[in-house]
Amino acid sequence: MTADNPEPAAPGPLPDDARPAGEPSDSGARKASLGRGSIAMSLGTAASRASGLVRSMLLVACVGAVGTVADAFDIGNKLPNVLFALISAGVLQAVLIPQILRAMNAENARERLDKLLSLSGLGLLLLTAVLVVAAPLIVWAYTTSDAWSTDARHLATVFAYWCIPQVFFYGLYMLLGQVLNARGRFGAYGVAPVANNVVSVLGFGAFLLVWGTSPDRGITDLSAWTTPMTTLLAGTATLGIAAQALVLVVALRRSGFSWRFRLGLRGIGLRSAGNVVGWTLGAVVLEQLGVLFLTNVLGRGARAVEATGAVAAGNMAYTQAMTIYLLPHSLVIVSIVTVLFPRMTAAVQAGNLPAVRADMSLGLRSAGIFSVISAAVLFVLAKPLTGALLPSLGAAEVDAIAPILRAMSIGLVALGATVLVRRMYFAFEDGLGLFLIQIAATVTLVGALAGAVATLPETWWAVAAGGAFALSTWVSLLLRLRGMNRKLHGMDGGRVLRLYVRAAVAAAVAGVLGWGVIQLMDGGAGSSWPHAVLVTAVGGLVMVGVYLGMLKLLRVRELDDALAPILRRVRRSPR
């Protein structure tokens, strides 16, 4: 994606009777702005996700999707993401990002930005060092079950030593990315992960050349695992994140922004945001406690099933299902949210609630067009899609991952909407609201999964984890919508709900026909990777085609708004 691409012609403004109450008359321009920015983000994200799929294929080829080594690496490499989530939502998104947006318009903008970035970078570096020292304790918290042997836990700890430094580079990537977004340059933020994937592909490829692929049922023999293998695998993962952050450093310099290291708290506006940090951090701690419980359940269940000689879906299988689940979300929804959030935050700070309501309605409806059909595709095509995207998996591993993906897909529509609404809580600096909602979401996740553990055999625990995650996402969305509706004195709810209902009807019809296609083509992934690709392609094209036709039949105007930028570019391409 590139932010410099020409903007497509904007659709005309809505007639007065079609405009939600309070929506500004320049809604056509707002949609065009969203189209330009989200397409720029989506193109770059598509490139990063495509290369990311190659990365995932090679990683699974190295360690498998099931087995002790696969789960140990997953925990070691997951810890930076979990730890960064605490920092990101607790400090960066809740405090620093709104302050970056304020600093861009301040009289002493350069000084404020320098201080914010310097303090943030120094804090990230010191915190990362502390986390590396605490790696054994952190790994133990995620492997408390006796099903984890001492050797397996030690391997996970070694992986963590190599992977936890990613926290610093993740933080740097987010901070610099937000500065670029605030300056209206969305391209580099979406493209930067390609650098990570290129480094990972080279490193994982070298691993395969030296040591070969993992067994079909994953690596469970720890005695064959050596220090050079650990160093190359985990070191590559961290080096990739460092490359991702470096791309944004270069992009900022090219945009004309130079960062000078300065320290100091005076005049950077953090005092007003201090009250938000505690509540927001508390909300993220609650969320990660749910993840901690889920991770332990997955590990305990997988080790118990492995003891019987069967294929066990554990932490790595769940992560691979999550990777596929997030593909449509990251390709489109995140792009929409990234483009809308800076201007919605600016509108909140200016007290312009009509503009916030208009953008909230636009964002929810635009997200709904894509998330509803994405959920249907993941649910119907879970098995062939898993086989197509992870070609090194055997049939038993595909059968272990696909049900998890199907369970997760139930929550995809809610995920797309709740990300946008959650960001607006940060804009309103309402940490308490997020904390109270997260209590309900975490209780839902833990309660549903605990009930499944008490009633279902271990072979179903990973699937239950995917379902519990989906359920908690819906709980979060409904509570956040209610709270945001109060803040905005209305959210154009009728118009948004009508869009989702019509999209759901269209997706249901598409899903039935897509399921029929799969049955005609021998029921799914088949016996080979080419067959899985063929089934996925044919089934996906049928579902998307039927869905678009149904939306046209149901006169969903948002479809035209979503396709207008793409069609405009297609018409221009010959010239």
Side-chain angles (χ1 to χ4, degrees):
M1 103 193 129
T2 59
D4 298 326
N5 283 343
E7 180 176 348
L14 291 174
D16 291 340
D17 59 351
R19 185 179 302 130
E23 180 172 335
S25 60
D26 63 344
S27 59
R30 303 177 75 83
K31 291 175 184 175
S33 175
L34 174 62
R36 177 188 62 208
S38 59
I39 281 184
M41 280 289 297
S42 295
L43 290 176
T45 305
S48 68
R49 288 299 170 180
S51 56
L53 285 176
V54 178
R55 177 188 185 276
S56 294
M57 292 176 187
L58 293 179
L59 175 60
V60 170
C62 290
V63 298
V66 298
T68 307
V69 172
D71 287 350
F73 178 80
D74 183 72
I75 288 177
N77 197 44
K78 179 190 296 181
L79 291 180
N81 295 277
V82 171
L83 297 170
F84 178 66
L86 295 170
I87 303 168
S88 170
V91 179
L92 298 183
Q93 291 190 44
V95 179
L96 294 176
I97 291 175
Q99 295 305 323
I100 286 173
L101 294 172
R102 286 193 177 100
M104 296 292 291
N105 298 316
E107 292 183 1
N108 58 337
R110 171 67 183 274
E111 179 184 353
R112 289 182 65 168
L113 280 173
D114 283 346
K115 288 182 178 180
L116 281 169
L117 294 177
S118 298
L119 287 171
S120 303
L122 185 60
L124 282 167
L125 185 61
L126 294 175
L127 182 58
T128 301
V130 172
L131 293 174
V132 169
V133 173
L137 180 61
I138 299 171
V139 170
W140 174 84
Y142 283 85
T143 58
T144 56
S145 171
D146 292 337
W148 282 92
S149 68
T150 301
D151 288 342
R153 189 176 288 115
H154 174 72
L155 179 60
T157 303
V158 174
F159 281 135
Y161 277 129
W162 280 100
C163 293
I164 287 178
Q166 295 173 23
V167 171
F168 171 77
F169 298 109
Y170 273 129
L172 194 62
Y173 168 73
M174 172 167 278
L175 282 171
L176 301 182
Q178 293 305 318
V179 175
L180 281 166
N181 291 346
R183 294 168 64 87
R185 295 181 177 269
F186 301 100
Y189 191 58
V191 169
V194 174
N196 168 27
N197 296 327
V198 169
V199 171
S200 297
V201 165
L202 293 175
F204 297 158
F207 184 99
L208 293 172
L209 288 174
V210 176
W211 290 289
T213 61
S214 69
D216 287 342
R217 297 195 169 204
I219 302 171
T220 56
D221 182 9
L222 300 181
S223 63
W225 201 261
T226 64
T227 298
M229 297 167 73
T230 304
T231 302
L232 179 57
L233 193 71
T236 292
T238 296
L239 185 61
I241 304 301
Q244 175 177 296
L246 180 62
V247 168
L248 295 194
V249 174
V250 175
L252 269 177
R253 294 189 66 86
R254 288 185 175 179
S255 73
F257 179 86
S258 58
W259 173 14
R260 175 184 169 190
F261 185 81
R262 308 190 203 199
L263 295 178
L265 296 173
R266 185 182 298 276
I268 60 176
L270 291 180
R271 183 179 302 173
S272 62
N275 294 330
V276 185
V277 179
W279 290 117
T280 307
L281 186 59
V284 181
V285 168
L286 281 174
E287 181 180 12
Q288 295 308 318
L289 286 175
V291 173
L292 178 66
F293 177 74
L294 184 146
T295 302
N296 275 286
V297 167
L298 290 172
R300 180 157 61 100
R303 302 290 81 75
V305 175
E306 275 179 6
T308 68
V311 172
N315 292 288
M316 179 63 92
Y318 185 89
T319 295
Q320 294 305 314
M322 180 67 74
T323 299
I324 299 173
Y325 166 78
L326 290 176
L327 276 175
H329 174 78
S330 57
L331 283 173
V332 179
I333 311 303
V334 170
S335 302
I336 293 172
V337 173
T338 301
V339 173
L340 282 176
F341 183 57
R343 78 186 194 193
M344 292 175 75
T345 301
V348 170
Q349 294 171 354
N352 187 359
L353 292 186
V356 179
R357 283 194 296 268
D359 275 341
M360 180 70 75
S361 173
L362 176 61
L364 290 174
R365 288 181 284 116
S366 299
I369 287 290
F370 295 98
S371 64
V372 172
I373 184 58
S374 297
V377 168
L378 291 183
F379 187 87
V380 174
L381 301 179
K383 185 175 179 179
L385 183 63
T386 301
L389 295 181
L390 299 173
S392 63
L393 296 184
E397 292 174 300
V398 171
D399 289 338
I401 294 176
I404 305 174
L405 177 59
R406 188 170 286 118
M408 287 179 176
S409 68
I410 299 171
L412 186 60
V413 175
L415 180 67
T418 196
V419 169
L420 176 61
V421 180
R422 182 173 185 263
R423 287 285 190 97
M424 291 314 299
Y425 274 84
F426 294 146
F428 279 99
E429 298 185 347
D430 182 9
L432 176 58
L434 284 175
F435 177 78
L436 295 176
I437 292 170
Q438 190 59 50
I439 292 176
T442 300
V443 168
T444 300
L445 173 67
V446 173
L449 186 52
V453 169
T455 58
L456 298 175
E458 290 91 343
T459 52
W460 283 96
W461 287 4
V463 180
F469 171 77
L471 179 60
S472 68
T473 304
W474 276 106
V475 169
S476 295
L477 172 63
L478 295 176
L479 293 177
R480 287 170 181 169
L481 284 175
R482 186 179 68 173
M484 192 54 58
N485 188 62
R486 292 175 180 172
K487 292 180 183 296
L488 297 178
H489 309 298
M491 287 178 54
D492 194 21
R495 189 180 182 195
V496 172
L497 182 60
R498 285 193 298 272
L499 178 280
Y500 277 85
V501 169
R502 286 182 289 175
V505 171
V509 175
V512 170
L513 293 177
W515 178 83
V517 168
I518 293 177
Q519 302 312 306
L520 290 174
M521 299 183 71
D522 198 23
S527 58
S528 67
W529 178 68
H531 185 69
V533 173
L534 179 63
V535 174
T536 300
V538 175
L541 286 174
V542 168
M543 290 186 66
V544 172
V546 172
Y547 179 72
L548 295 177
M550 286 294 298
L551 290 183
K552 281 287 188 182
L553 184 65
L554 294 172
R555 298 180 180 179
V556 176
R557 295 186 58 182
E558 288 81 1
L559 175 63
D560 296 329
D561 295 333
L563 294 179
I566 300 173
L567 295 176
R568 182 71 174 182
R569 288 173 186 274
V570 170
R571 296 188 189 106
R572 289 180 176 179
S573 59
R575 288 173 285 182

